[in-house]
Amino acid sequence: MAGQPGDEELRGTTSGADRPVPILMYHQIDQVPPRGTPFRELTVDPSNFRTQMHRLKRLGFIGLSMHDLKPYLSGQKSGRVVGITFDDGFQNVHTYALPVLSSLGFTATNYFVSRQIGGSNVWDAEVGVPAAPCMSKLELLEWTAACNEVGAHTLDHVHLPAIPAREAKRQIEDSRKELEDIVGNTVDAFCYPYGDVSENVRCMVEDAGYAHATTTIRGRARPSHDAFMLPRRIARCSDGWMNVLRKCLTG
Ligand SMILES: [Zn+2]
């Protein structure tokens, strides 16, 4: 009988060099807002997040930041790994996700909007997304102290291909500098706000010195992928555990 997609990966029999690596994309970890709220799907309930991480661990997965995932993305190492990423630097990730990750020995990357550290998701206000605080500087430092990574997500969460090139360059370069000043280390990870990217924007990110960038393109990453166009799998509030597992094993 034919196996289910992903069976060979659960058994660890896929060859290492071309093994696809899932990168999960989360935003907020919090009580899910009422139906009809814009972008409601992007908030995952804390108990669901906890279950997802614990079950991944039980299946032998190690959750890793983009930094820690690098040798797997380049094909140098193989193993049952999953990238854990959060967009926007929300405070509720510090509250609910950080303790879970730490307790399991997982690491993760959070992409911060550098001008909203200690602020909120003002960029989403006009489409009716409820206000949610972003991590403070202190919380960001607690995030990194637990071996998690700080990535950049521009200064102001802008649509990069839609703004003048000079401003896009400033958003990409200055957010890196501002975050590096806070963490006292290099910032290698970038994420395109809204998943908006063009060939020009992609090159600006590489020229700014980042090592890789994630998108909202759906799929798992392979060593053959452009490091500045990495696909991810979105974890939604409506995803049950089996859906999350399927996203880690297929696509
Ligand atoms: Zn974002």
Side-chain angles (χ1 to χ4, degrees):
M1 196 176 93
Q4 294 295 311
D7 276 1
E8 69 284 356
E9 283 164 44
L10 266 181
R11 291 194 302 269
T13 51
T14 305
S15 72
D18 63 350
R19 180 189 281 256
V21 178
I23 303 171
L24 289 174
M25 167 174 49
Y26 292 93
H27 284 75
Q28 300 200 50
I29 306 297
D30 209 345
Q31 279 71 42
V32 178
R35 285 183 194 282
T37 306
F39 298 129
R40 172 180 185 268
E41 281 288 300
L42 299 181
T43 299
V44 172
D45 186 87
S47 65
N48 286 349
F49 178 78
R50 190 171 186 281
T51 299
Q52 290 162 18
M53 294 299 114
H54 275 262
R55 291 192 177 167
L56 284 171
K57 172 94 173 183
R58 210 176 302 157
L59 284 177
F61 279 95
I62 307 170
L64 295 176
S65 67
M66 294 305 296
H67 174 271
D68 295 339
L69 201 64
K70 247 190 284 182
Y72 298 91
L73 287 172
S74 65
Q76 287 169 300
K77 277 172 104 171
S78 67
R80 197 172 296 171
V81 293
V82 52
I84 311 283
T85 66
F86 299 89
D87 287 12
D88 306 334
F90 285 108
Q91 188 178 54
N92 49 43
V93 171
H94 179 280
T95 307
Y96 295 114
L98 178 57
V100 173
L101 296 167
S102 296
S103 73
L104 296 173
F106 285 5
T107 59
T109 299
N110 205 322
Y111 298 104
F112 288 80
V113 178
S114 66
R115 294 278 163 91
Q116 288 303 329
I117 291 166
S120 68
N121 55 340
V122 289
W123 61 87
D124 272 342
E126 62 182 26
V127 291
V129 177
C134 296
M135 284 189 216
S136 66
K137 219 177 258 192
L138 178 65
E139 287 160 340
L140 179 153
L141 291 171
E142 287 170 351
W143 174 258
T144 57
C147 300
N148 295 299
E149 182 179 27
V150 166
H153 202 40
T154 72
L155 297 169
D156 302 303
H157 206 284
V158 291
H159 290 277
L160 287 168
I163 59 177
R166 200 169 157 167
E167 172 61 7
K169 198 164 169 325
R170 187 180 76 90
Q171 289 279 338
I172 293 164
E173 290 178 353
D174 289 7
S175 56
R176 183 169 195 236
K177 282 183 213 139
E178 290 187 3
L179 292 170
E180 286 181 341
D181 283 347
I182 297 171
V183 299
N185 210 336
T186 56
V187 168
D188 290 333
F190 186 83
C191 174
Y192 306 101
Y194 310 101
D196 274 0
V197 57
S198 62
E199 183 53 32
N200 202 18
V201 164
R202 179 231 166 271
C203 291
M204 284 182 201
V205 171
E206 185 170 16
D207 292 346
Y210 293 99
H212 42 77
T214 48
T215 66
T216 53
I217 297 167
R218 294 175 194 189
R220 290 184 297 173
R222 291 174 185 273
S224 55
H225 267 120
D226 178 351
F228 292 89
M229 290 296 290
L230 294 171
R232 292 187 288 177
R233 302 306 307 256
I234 305 177
R236 300 176 188 275
C237 78
S238 52
D239 282 329
W241 154 244
M242 286 310 289
N243 259 354
V244 173
L245 179 60
R246 183 181 50 79
K247 288 177 179 187
C248 290
L249 294 175
T250 61

